[in-house]
Amino acid sequence: MTVIVTGGAGFIGSNFVFHMMKEHPDYRIICLDKLTYAGNLSTLKSVMDKPNFRFIKADICDRKAVEKLFEEEKPDIVVNFAAESHVDRSIENPEIFLQTNIIGTEVLMDACRKYGIQRYHQVSTDEVYGDLPLDRPDLFFTEDTPIHTSSPYSSSKAGADLLVLAYHRTYGLPVTISRCSNNYGPYHFPEKLIPLMIANALADKPLPVYGEGINVRDWLYVEDHCRAIDLIIHKGRVGEVYNVGG
């Protein structure tokens, strides 16, 4: 089994690479990553020399590079972690989020259609559902919760999700989608909340409070998330959306 993991040098993607290498040592794992500010090749140092691992530096929006890789590797499964994911950055510059998160997804799925695939899995976010009311702690998002985005980032991810489901309905592409809550764990990028708070505390710097400090987040340990995706790509039902929470 050959698995392409896009965004595999990022926080969640690298943890997924490690998980797959450990749980499926007979699989061939191909990591495709553009190595933006959020990607760190040194994270993958421990697997770079493994015979069943290959790293390719490329942009998922680069159709020629993506198709070349598919032609060479003939993947069975594609798991797409590659995304611009920082909400504040999306407010400053929405265009790059639309390009990577929507057009990049389309390029990958076109390659899946052209070269054949057993499963295309889109890693999404619970932010496509918007916010829950603070005075209703009994409420939870479900897979049937209507999409209600609140930032260019979440809108770009919701757009990609709809495109993935459209490719399933229109072309019969075997797809699944997972929407997760906030991840934490090894290799977390330092701009994110938990590592930022820890780094500021260690440096005796102020701890930033968002809004009035009353917002609540659900936290998911990254290795639990990776196990969930592994389960979905092997046993999940094609065309389904799966929520993964902490």
Side-chain angles (χ1 to χ4, degrees):
M1 191 80 77
T2 298
V3 182
I4 290 180
V5 180
T6 69
F11 164 45
I12 307 175
S14 60
N15 277 280
F16 185 72
V17 167
F18 298 144
H19 168 86
M20 294 297 285
M21 298 283 285
K22 178 183 176 182
E23 297 298 322
H24 306 282
D26 55 328
Y27 282 19
R28 179 165 170 76
I29 306 298
I30 314 298
C31 173
L32 186 156
D33 199 295
K34 186 181 178 181
L35 293 181
T36 64
Y37 75 94
N40 188 349
L41 193 56
S42 65
T43 302
L44 299 170
K45 184 178 180 180
S46 64
V47 297
M48 288 295 282
D49 294 330
K50 301 285 186 182
N52 61 329
F53 178 80
R54 179 187 179 191
F55 176 81
I56 300 292
K57 182 181 178 181
D59 187 344
I60 61 170
C61 297
D62 185 340
R63 194 175 297 272
K64 183 180 288 186
V66 169
E67 290 194 354
K68 182 175 182 288
L69 180 59
F70 272 68
E71 194 169 334
E72 291 172 352
E73 295 291 349
K74 298 176 175 54
D76 302 288
I77 297 171
V78 174
V79 182
N80 181 27
F81 289 94
E84 294 286 344
S85 63
H86 196 260
V87 174
D88 292 344
R89 289 176 185 264
S90 80
I91 294 170
E92 294 170 9
N93 183 12
E95 183 178 352
I96 192 172
F97 284 73
L98 302 178
Q99 186 71 26
T100 299
N101 298 356
I102 298 178
I103 301 301
T105 297
E106 181 248 341
V107 169
L108 288 172
M109 291 193 297
D110 281 347
C112 289
R113 288 180 58 217
K114 183 175 181 179
Y115 293 95
I117 202 83
Q118 290 184 21
R119 179 65 60 87
Y120 173 87
H121 183 75
Q122 179 76 2
V123 181
S124 187
T125 170
D126 66 349
E127 292 198 36
V128 302
Y129 299 125
D131 300 319
L132 291 170
L134 293 171
D135 59 350
R136 290 293 306 278
D138 56 311
L139 293 181
F140 295 92
F141 294 133
T142 73
E143 287 82 356
D144 297 320
T145 301
I147 287 175
H148 185 66
T149 61
S150 53
S151 71
Y153 161 62
S154 57
S155 296
S156 69
K157 292 297 286 185
D161 287 3
L162 293 173
L163 191 64
V164 170
L165 295 174
Y167 265 59
H168 170 60
R169 293 174 187 137
T170 304
Y171 306 112
L173 192 70
V175 307
T176 43
I177 297 172
S178 58
R179 294 171 179 159
C180 66
S181 54
N182 296 273
N183 280 224
Y184 72 97
Y187 312 112
H188 206 173
F189 195 72
E191 72 180 0
K192 302 296 186 177
L193 179 65
I194 289 179
L196 177 65
M197 289 292 191
I198 293 172
N200 280 17
L202 289 171
D204 201 25
K205 293 181 179 179
L207 306 182
V209 175
Y210 295 85
E212 297 179 6
I214 58 176
N215 290 49
V216 177
R217 288 186 178 183
D218 180 77
W219 291 100
L220 170 65
Y221 187 52
V222 65
E223 291 182 14
D224 293 334
H225 185 196
C226 292
R227 281 201 297 272
I229 294 173
D230 185 7
L231 184 65
I232 293 167
I233 62 177
H234 287 99
K235 296 186 177 181
R237 192 164 65 184
V238 166
E240 286 291 315
V241 175
Y242 295 89
N243 285 354
V244 184

